[in-house]
Amino acid sequence: MGTLTSNFLFEPFSRSFKGLIIWCLLLYMIQCSSATSNKTGSHFYKWEVEYMYWSPDGIENVVMGINGQFPGPTIRARAGDIVHVQLTNKLHTEGVVIHWHGIRQKGTPWADGTASISQCVINPGETFDYRFTVDRAGTYFYHGHYGMQRSAGLYGSMIVDVAKGEKEPFHYDDEFELLLSDWWHKSVHHQEVGLSSRPMRWINEPQALLINGRGQYGCSLAAHYGSSSLGPCNITGHEQWAPYILHVDPNKTYRIRIASTTALASLNLAIGNHTMMVVEADGNYLQPFETNDLDIYSGESYSVLLKTSQDSSQNYWISFGVRGRESQTPQALTILNYKTNSASKLPLSPPPVTPRWDDYAHSKAFSNKIKALGHKSIPKPPPTYHRRIVLLNTQNEMNGYTKWSINNVSLSLPATPYLGSIRFGLRGAFDQTKPPEDFPGHYDIMKPPVNRNTTTGNGVYMLGYYSTVDVILQNANALKENVSEIHPWHLHGHDFWVLGYGEGKFTKSDEKKFNLKNPPYRNTAVIFPYGWTALRFVADNPGVWAFHCHIEPHLHLGMGVVFAEGVQHIAKIPKEALSCGLTGKRFMTGSHLG
């Protein structure tokens, strides 16, 4: 050690000075680099997707997780930040992609995470980089978009805060996130094979509803009230399936961010003895309104404000129950715990009861309360449209297989992602026949289809760039008499204005009912049984975008369409996104894609 000191002390001054200058420059560069990183707000995540054993509802099962977590890690960023997720597929026998639900992917359509539409599937052992900008504050989530991997548990929360210097149009003291899902004890592969069997083998309703990945099967948190045939749950609080409890202080305002990634169930939320103020839907501000309970469909997200103004010596139930289906799945329960009490203290009153499953008047009344807030972040709808597409939702058959169809075409995705095949003019990659824009005027939506047969197809609705498009979602009777199901439709790459809802078959005269003053601006909208929903959007985002029912079995059986717009304006698509099908073959042979 003395020798080292001696050598350093007698080193020539000029050499020491040079080293000092270089060290200072390095420090300066590091500081600059750090400042730039903070300014741009870049968030890097390294994720591995794999199957693992878990107990979501007290029964050990196999779930799809990320980095050993279920649900996956929460992403939190500010509006304008860049999110970079390096995703490695550690599944042994299947591919994977992840869709960032509600993120419009402006300038990065290949990062939308839709297999066969925006990218090739990520094969076992492969890594894909999702890099995109989160351009708006709001409550979002992410989920698998290949096969039925959302049903297997591949999902997580995504929260985007307002940009620095910006403020929300409402005040709150703290917040919680509630990610809702449904859960079966049969594997997702059982579901897929059953749906694709002839005749279809339905696995029935979910065994449990999960709140942040936690539910209870075969027991009830509220068993002692006598309203349940189930016994009490023996929970210490350390179990994977122990309820996620909301711990609150009295006389505060809390923002509860709620997102539904259910595979099947439509849900209703109520909080005992408390009302909620609804202020956000799908990342867009709403005119605040008060409600005792809230309907939420698969693919939707909301923010509600809750004032903890009730008796602080008590705790209160939070309950979620199934709507729109005659389900035997028990309500999901957790506790709003005023911190002045023990979290184990059960509420005095029984849990709120979900409205009857088929009380659609209740659901429609709630939907009609949702209006856009006059805010700079929410554009006004164009007064007219350039093109109208009417999409009839029907259940059909094909060679004995059950299908869901749109205008009698059941979507079957191609091997080559549309983004590459359209961008590079590979006309043999998918059906060039234009898909139908309407259905026959004599079709009776109140009865099962006279012609039960359908066809499959993968044609694309080519939209004029910057054109205004109206979509009329028309619901109808399914194959069985007197059955018409709820369908929540989700549009990728855009938000749309929900212009209105109506009963029966849509006609031109129904335009008089459209709300052009303050329609909600959303990415997911429901169509009610035997009714219609009118949407309007501007095709201003170059890319190829899925538009589909967000109920997983319905999409699996063909209930979706594909929109494309401005694809010629897209540049620098990563090769990794297109390394399959016809585009992949071109890369292999060295052919020029352009």
Side-chain angles (χ1 to χ4, degrees):
M1 189 171 179
T3 306
L4 286 173
T5 305
S6 173
N7 288 343
F8 176 75
L9 287 173
F10 288 96
E11 196 174 40
F13 174 78
S14 59
R15 189 172 168 186
S16 299
F17 185 74
K18 266 186 199 174
L20 184 63
I21 293 293
I22 291 169
W23 178 245
C24 288
L25 282 170
L26 281 171
L27 277 175
Y28 177 75
M29 289 169 68
I30 290 168
Q31 286 175 343
C32 287
S33 173
S34 176
T36 303
S37 175
N38 290 336
K39 189 175 180 181
T40 56
S42 183
H43 305 264
F44 175 73
Y45 302 89
K46 196 170 183 177
W47 286 0
E48 293 182 347
V49 176
E50 59 190 338
Y51 281 111
M52 58 191 189
Y53 285 108
W54 205 266
S55 297
D57 62 355
I59 304 296
E60 188 177 66
N61 216 316
V62 173
V63 304
M64 194 173 282
I66 298 174
N67 294 353
Q69 288 183 236
F70 169 77
T74 295
I75 289 178
R76 187 133 204 166
R78 285 190 178 276
D81 286 357
I82 295 170
V83 171
H84 177 192
V85 177
Q86 191 177 84
L87 186 78
T88 299
N89 181 1
K90 302 291 270 188
L91 307 171
H92 297 296
T93 58
E94 60 190 289
V96 71
V97 294
I98 288 186
H99 168 56
W100 315 94
H101 189 105
I103 306 301
R104 293 177 290 187
Q105 300 295 348
K106 293 204 167 184
T108 52
W110 52 82
D112 189 48
T114 45
S116 296
I117 298 177
S118 64
Q119 71 169 105
C120 299
V121 71
I122 307 164
N123 289 314
E126 291 182 344
T127 297
F128 185 83
D129 286 274
Y130 289 104
R131 188 182 286 106
F132 53 89
T133 300
V134 290
D135 61 334
R136 280 176 316 160
T139 304
Y140 307 101
F141 61 98
Y142 61 84
H143 60 82
H145 214 292
Y146 181 59
M148 296 181 66
Q149 291 178 345
R150 177 159 53 94
S151 191
L154 185 53
Y155 46 74
S157 293
M158 189 169 186
I159 307 300
V160 182
D161 294 309
V162 293
K164 286 184 178 179
E166 298 284 331
K167 288 185 177 180
E168 305 270 18
F170 43 80
H171 166 78
Y172 55 96
D173 300 299
D174 206 346
E175 67 176 54
F176 297 97
E177 303 153 28
L178 299 182
L179 185 63
L180 312 178
S181 54
D182 38 17
W183 186 248
W184 285 260
H185 292 164
K186 285 188 176 180
S187 76
V188 66
H189 303 298
H190 276 91
Q191 295 188 55
E192 290 174 336
V193 174
L195 290 168
S196 303
S197 295
R198 184 174 59 181
M200 184 181 77
R201 296 171 63 172
W202 178 237
I203 66 165
N204 294 315
E205 303 299 312
Q207 275 66 60
L209 302 175
L210 307 182
I211 302 172
N212 292 348
R214 299 163 178 237
Q216 294 77 44
Y217 173 75
C219 68
S220 173
L221 300 178
H224 67 293
Y225 292 102
S227 58
S228 172
S229 59
L230 301 172
C233 299
N234 296 316
I235 297 174
T236 66
H238 301 292
E239 298 86 353
Q240 291 174 336
W241 52 282
Y244 173 83
I245 294 174
L246 280 64
H247 303 283
V248 297
D249 289 307
N251 302 313
K252 300 284 186 181
T253 299
Y254 289 87
R255 179 182 190 169
I256 305 179
R257 298 178 181 266
I258 312 153
S260 176
T261 184
T262 55
L264 179 67
S266 303
L267 300 175
N268 179 271
L269 158 69
I271 303 175
N273 287 48
H274 292 72
T275 58
M276 297 170 282
M277 186 72 72
V278 187
V279 294
E280 178 222 345
D282 296 353
N284 295 290
Y285 299 126
L286 301 177
Q287 294 181 16
F289 67 93
E290 199 169 61
T291 185
N292 292 317
D293 61 85
L294 175 147
D295 279 343
I296 181 167
Y297 304 98
S298 178
E300 292 187 328
S301 66
Y302 287 97
S303 284
V304 300
L305 300 182
L306 179 78
K307 291 186 177 179
T308 52
S309 55
Q310 298 303 304
D311 181 357
S312 61
S313 68
Q314 302 299 324
N315 292 330
Y316 301 89
W317 290 113
I318 300 175
S319 69
F320 290 90
V322 175
R323 302 278 278 119
R325 304 183 64 83
E326 194 168 6
S327 174
Q328 300 303 311
T329 309
Q331 284 183 300
L333 295 175
T334 190
I335 288 177
L336 182 74
N337 164 232
Y338 278 70
K339 292 179 186 176
T340 45
N341 306 304
S342 165
S344 62
K345 181 179 180 179
L346 293 176
L348 289 175
S349 303
V353 177
T354 305
R356 183 179 160 86
W357 70 272
D358 58 354
D359 185 355
Y360 295 117
H362 186 94
S363 302
K364 292 171 186 177
F366 175 79
S367 294
N368 285 319
K369 291 178 183 177
I370 300 172
K371 311 290 184 189
L373 183 69
H375 190 270
K376 62 181 180 180
S377 65
I378 303 175
K380 294 286 186 182
T384 58
Y385 62 91
H386 298 106
R387 182 177 177 183
R388 172 168 287 168
I389 300 171
V390 182
L391 302 178
L392 175 69
N393 295 231
T394 56
Q395 191 180 44
N396 301 84
E397 291 179 343
M398 193 178 75
N399 300 324
Y401 295 97
T402 301
K403 297 287 184 183
W404 283 98
S405 300
I406 304 303
N407 293 345
N408 211 42
V409 178
S410 184
L411 180 63
S412 177
L413 294 172
T416 304
Y418 292 107
L419 188 66
S421 56
I422 295 174
R423 176 64 182 84
F424 302 114
L426 307 180
R427 296 178 63 83
F430 63 93
D431 187 358
Q432 297 297 306
T433 305
K434 293 182 179 179
E437 307 221 351
D438 207 339
F439 63 95
H442 59 77
Y443 190 95
D444 188 348
I445 67 161
M446 304 303 293
K447 296 180 180 178
V450 175
N451 175 15
R452 298 165 68 95
N453 297 317
T454 188
T455 58
T456 58
N458 52 35
V460 176
Y461 291 92
M462 301 291 187
L463 308 179
Y465 190 34
Y466 273 100
S467 64
T468 299
V469 181
D470 272 16
V471 175
I472 308 298
L473 293 167
Q474 177 67 66
N475 212 344
N477 202 101
L479 286 170
K480 189 178 178 182
E481 290 271 4
N482 302 315
V483 173
S484 183
E485 297 189 22
I486 275 179
H487 301 293
W489 275 74
H490 170 60
L491 178 58
H492 293 227
H494 306 77
D495 281 1
F496 47 66
W497 295 274
V498 184
L499 300 184
Y501 308 91
E503 311 289 334
K505 188 188 292 186
F506 178 83
T507 65
K508 185 77 175 173
S509 63
D510 285 319
E511 290 184 14
K512 298 192 296 288
K513 304 173 186 174
F514 285 179
N515 173 15
L516 296 176
K517 180 183 177 183
N518 52 10
Y521 198 45
R522 308 199 61 173
N523 61 58
T524 304
V526 64
I527 40 172
F528 295 106
Y530 302 109
W532 55 264
T533 299
L535 314 175
R536 179 169 293 174
F537 72 96
V538 178
D540 59 356
N541 191 7
V544 186
W545 309 106
F547 182 43
H548 61 89
C549 179
H550 210 259
I551 292 175
E552 191 113 272
H554 292 185
L555 175 58
H556 188 73
L557 296 177
M559 198 172 197
V561 298
V562 177
F563 294 143
E565 71 216 45
V567 179
Q568 68 275 15
H569 297 286
I570 301 170
K572 299 180 180 179
I573 303 175
K575 284 188 177 182
E576 294 79 8
L578 304 177
S579 58
C580 61
L582 296 182
T583 46
K585 288 178 181 177
R586 294 230 171 175
F587 291 141
M588 289 171 63
T589 59
S591 301
H592 181 57
L593 277 172

